[in-house]
């Protein structure tokens, strides 16, 4: 469900299948476009892909997707029923890029216990539009 033009929210369960990555990207792409997020949409979509993939591969049960945002900030949360916390590993072809990509593209990220009786965890991150380098901004004045 998407609400208002300047602030929006999406909450949706996803099936425990790899097609959920594509579905999550489609849902988020539509929300970002409808609400006018000013940041790089592809950065948000890449982070969503990584978080959903991690939940499917390393988590338990079907993942859930929550997106909160405005034109200048977006928070993505992907939860699952697993108790095992994600462990950042050395990025590369054998270990994947997952949390390394999330860390590089976001302004903050973390892991919190899930709400409710079922336990589990939520891996979240926040993104905002990147500022132009100081030199580029100075020449524009």
């Amino acid at each position: 469900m998407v609400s208002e033009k300047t602030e929006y929210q999406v909450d949706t369960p996803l099936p425990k299948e790899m097609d959920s990555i594509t579905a999550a990207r489609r849902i988020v792409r539509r929300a970002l476009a409808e609400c006018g997020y000013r940041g790089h949409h592809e950065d948000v979509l890449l982070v969503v892909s990584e978080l959903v993939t991690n939940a499917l591969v390393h988590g338990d049960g079907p993942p859930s997707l929550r997106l909160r945002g405005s034109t200048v900030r977006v928070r993505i949360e992907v939860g699952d029923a697993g108790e095992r916390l994600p462990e950042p590993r050395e990025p590369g072809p054998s270990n994947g890029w997952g949390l390394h990509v999330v860390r590089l593209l976001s302004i903050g990220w973390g892991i919190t216990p899930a709400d409710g009786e079922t336990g589990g965890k939520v891996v979240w991150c926040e993104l905002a539009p990147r500022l132009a380098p100081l030199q580029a901004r100075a020449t524009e004045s």
Side-chain angles (χ1 to χ4, degrees), residues 97-111:
W97 304 95
L99 293 178
H100 182 69
V101 168
V102 172
R103 183 179 57 82
L104 288 175
L105 294 177
S106 63
I107 57 174
W109 75 279
I111 306 159

Side-chain angles (χ1 to χ4, degrees), residues 117-141:
E117 298 174 7
T118 60
K121 66 187 167 299
V122 174
V123 182
W124 61 269
C125 68
E126 294 186 358
L127 291 91
R130 290 186 228 153
L131 296 175
L134 288 176
Q135 185 178 15
R137 286 188 297 194
T139 59
E140 293 173 358
S141 305

Side-chain angles (χ1 to χ4, degrees), residues 4-53:
E4 295 189 25
K5 274 276 188 207
T6 57
E7 292 192 17
Y8 53 97
Q9 123 182 4
V10 174
D11 286 296
T12 188
L14 299 167
K16 186 164 177 64
E17 57 188 45
M18 295 310 274
D19 287 346
S20 289
I21 300 163
T22 303
R25 287 176 58 93
R26 186 174 45 250
I27 291 164
V28 171
R29 178 181 284 120
R30 186 175 63 237
L32 295 173
E34 287 177 6
C35 299
Y37 175 64
R38 295 182 198 155
H40 293 279
H41 292 201
E42 289 302 318
D43 289 353
V44 178
L45 296 174
L46 179 55
V47 166
V48 166
S49 295
E50 294 296 343
L51 293 180
V52 173
T53 299

